[in-house]
Amino acid sequence: MENKLAKWGFNNGDLKEKSLLSIRSVLETIMENLKEENERKSVIHLGRGDPSAIPCFRTSPVAEDALFSAVRSAKFNGYAPAVGIYSARRSIAEYISHDIPHQLSPDDVFLTPGANHAIEVVMAVLARPGANILLPKPGYPFYEARAAVSNVEVRHFDLLPEKGWEVDLESLESLADDNTIAIVIINPGNPCGNVFTSEHLQEIAETAKKLGILVIADEVYSHLCFGSKPFVPMGVFGSITPILTLGSLSKRWIIPGWRLGWIAMVDPSGILKKSGFAESLQSYLDYGANPATIIQGAVPHILEKTTKDFFSNINNILREAVEVFITKIQEIPCFTCPYKPDGAMSVMFKLNLSFLEGINDDMDFCTKLVHEESVIILPGMVVGLKDWLRLTFAIEPSILEEGLERIKAFCLRRSSS
């Protein structure tokens, strides 16, 4: 067997190239530069979107009790249907329908082990020879990775920072052709922290209808809104063009490790079912991974019993953290933040290299910052904007303030003036 493996000569270069700029791999590379002499300086991680280890972001006791009850019931120890347990799908259908003018059925909902797997499934099912998909820039790089694996061409449309990271609709149409299969919209926005207005979402839906494509609405951060703009689901406009809503428990309930996501078809005209898409989706899931059955068993209780106080508390912490960020970032001349976040957990701000000495680009900035100050942030090139930075503010405001003070000290030492 060893000789055969050597003869086959596995080449992971292609896959490595496709995943080269994953958030995880870049953060791991940056963290390799942590300095041992800085052990007395605690590490402040502002680069990842997982606040679950932070005490003020602990999940709801309702979610914990729901999981305990699912385990103790002994009803969820076996295999689940490929599309998910009926009671969980029904609960998610009702949860989504509460905010849109269409009533979803359990048959419109497909469960996945997290939203990343939902992206994988949708990309694989939509793929066909010569197909292309429209993705936002900046955006979430997992879409590019899954498109590459499925041999789907990626075409990027710009989000406009000066307009609150709205979609550049004027140039969007020029990207599409007869082989365009879908447009991806992330709302609330990752990585920008923006929240689209109802009017802008309708414009996007009407543009998709004109182009004859569906909208993939990534709403993983749904309802994590703490500014002046309320969350409006893309599914509100499902009568204009078919919508695939991707969601999960991960962010709103602060349980990313529980791995429960979903794909929901918001398609009152029935276009996706008539086209065979729903059947293809189920067929793909027949051969794929499924969420843990006990998590599925806990879903109805989690969705129906979590109190409003839990959600409002999370949003209040995020709002306070954003105020800390905006106040401190204005004290650092080499940064420009064009938009104060309204939602989600991260923000993009521009790095002006002319203010700094000995810094070549955004990756170099992040690498030297962690080496000198033990503060981790993400270079913007990972999400599509070179010489920008992405910072996650889902952290205790006092720790965020300390991290920004260290960043300020680093920039002052590197100042060119």
Side-chain angles (χ1 to χ4, degrees):
M1 177 61 72
E2 183 178 348
N3 290 337
K4 281 188 176 181
L5 291 175
K7 182 179 179 180
W8 290 340
F10 289 102
N11 182 0
N12 70 350
D14 190 37
L15 286 177
K16 184 177 181 181
E17 181 67 23
K18 291 173 181 176
S19 61
L20 183 61
L21 293 183
S22 73
I23 291 175
R24 181 177 297 175
S25 65
V26 170
L27 286 176
E28 288 175 353
T29 299
I30 289 171
M31 290 176 68
E32 289 174 1
N33 294 276
L34 279 168
K35 199 174 178 181
E36 290 185 10
E37 303 94 278
N38 283 349
E39 285 183 354
R40 284 178 291 182
K41 225 176 219 183
S42 60
V43 176
I44 298 180
H45 205 319
L46 305 177
R48 64 187 174 199
D50 179 6
S52 60
I54 302 167
C56 67
F57 283 98
R58 180 168 177 168
T59 191
S60 166
V62 170
E64 295 172 345
D65 292 343
L67 188 61
F68 295 155
S69 296
V71 172
R72 293 187 182 118
S73 73
K75 296 178 181 179
F76 306 106
N77 293 333
Y79 293 118
V83 295
I85 292 174
Y86 182 85
S87 60
R89 291 158 51 221
R90 179 184 59 198
S91 184
I92 292 169
E94 292 173 354
Y95 171 73
I96 297 173
S97 298
H98 184 268
D99 296 319
I100 64 175
H102 319 291
Q103 183 62 47
L104 302 189
S105 78
D107 291 338
D108 294 318
V109 177
F110 305 81
L111 302 190
T112 60
N116 275 353
H117 189 250
I119 295 170
E120 173 188 335
V121 171
V122 168
M123 205 68 71
V125 173
L126 288 175
R128 65 174 189 263
N132 66 75
I133 189 166
L134 308 182
L135 300 183
K137 185 179 72 172
Y140 181 47
F142 194 77
Y143 282 98
E144 277 88 349
R146 294 316 311 180
V149 171
S150 297
N151 294 312
V152 174
E153 178 193 352
V154 168
R155 298 180 179 180
H156 288 105
F157 59 88
D158 290 327
L159 301 182
L160 304 173
E162 68 277 11
K163 292 187 176 181
W165 297 106
E166 286 189 350
V167 174
D168 184 358
L169 292 171
E170 291 184 6
S171 64
L172 178 65
E173 291 187 39
S174 65
L175 297 172
D177 58 24
D178 291 341
N179 289 321
T180 304
I181 51 177
I183 177 175
V184 171
I185 298 297
I186 305 175
N187 182 49
N190 176 19
C192 301
N194 58 296
V195 177
F196 290 138
T197 64
S198 178
E199 293 77 12
H200 190 57
L201 290 172
Q202 183 170 347
E203 289 176 333
I204 293 169
E206 289 172 347
T207 301
K209 179 182 180 180
K210 181 179 178 180
L211 298 174
I213 60 178
L214 61 84
V215 177
I216 300 171
D218 184 326
E219 298 179 353
V220 168
Y221 290 92
S222 66
H223 297 284
L224 285 170
C225 300
F226 38 81
S228 59
K229 298 176 184 175
F231 169 68
V232 178
M234 194 74 206
V236 168
F237 307 104
S239 59
I240 297 177
T241 195
I243 310 292
L244 288 180
T245 296
L246 310 187
S248 75
L249 297 180
S250 298
K251 305 300 183 180
R252 198 179 185 203
W253 276 268
I254 321 294
I255 45 175
W258 291 21
R259 311 312 300 150
L260 193 288
W262 57 80
I263 303 164
M265 300 188 305
V266 186
D267 180 30
S269 300
I271 295 172
L272 293 175
K273 289 183 179 178
K274 292 173 188 174
S275 69
F277 174 83
E279 185 177 349
S280 295
L281 198 59
Q282 179 162 349
S283 296
Y284 188 92
L285 290 171
D286 282 339
Y287 295 94
N290 309 117
T293 316
I294 55 171
I295 306 299
Q296 296 186 48
V299 166
H301 191 85
I302 292 173
L303 294 183
E304 296 161 18
K305 301 297 183 182
T306 304
T307 64
K308 292 182 180 179
D309 287 346
F310 171 75
F311 298 129
S312 62
N313 180 60
I314 295 297
N315 280 338
N316 287 338
I317 296 170
L318 293 173
R319 182 184 299 111
E320 182 182 350
V322 165
E323 293 298 332
V324 169
F325 170 80
I326 291 296
T327 299
K328 301 304 293 185
I329 208 73
Q330 293 173 346
E331 300 174 0
I332 309 175
C334 62
F335 296 149
T336 302
C337 183
Y339 182 78
K340 180 180 179 180
D342 285 312
M345 295 180 176
S346 61
V347 59
M348 294 290 294
F349 52 104
K350 188 170 179 56
L351 174 64
N352 191 333
L353 294 171
S354 66
F355 283 77
L356 302 170
E357 290 183 346
I359 302 294
N360 299 319
D361 54 27
D362 51 335
M363 183 67 179
D364 192 37
F365 180 95
C366 294
T367 300
K368 290 173 179 173
L369 173 67
V370 74
H371 183 71
E372 296 180 23
E373 295 290 346
S374 299
V375 176
I376 303 162
I377 56 177
L378 188 74
M381 66 174 188
V382 185
V383 295
L385 283 187
K386 184 175 173 56
D387 294 336
W388 285 65
L389 301 167
R390 191 200 79 167
L391 178 144
T392 301
F393 51 80
I395 193 168
E396 290 178 1
S398 60
I399 298 176
L400 175 61
E401 185 169 11
E402 180 185 345
L404 289 165
E405 283 290 347
R406 292 193 204 171
I407 295 173
K408 178 181 177 181
F410 171 81
C411 292
L412 287 175
R413 286 197 305 274
R414 297 277 178 169
S415 175
S416 59
S417 59

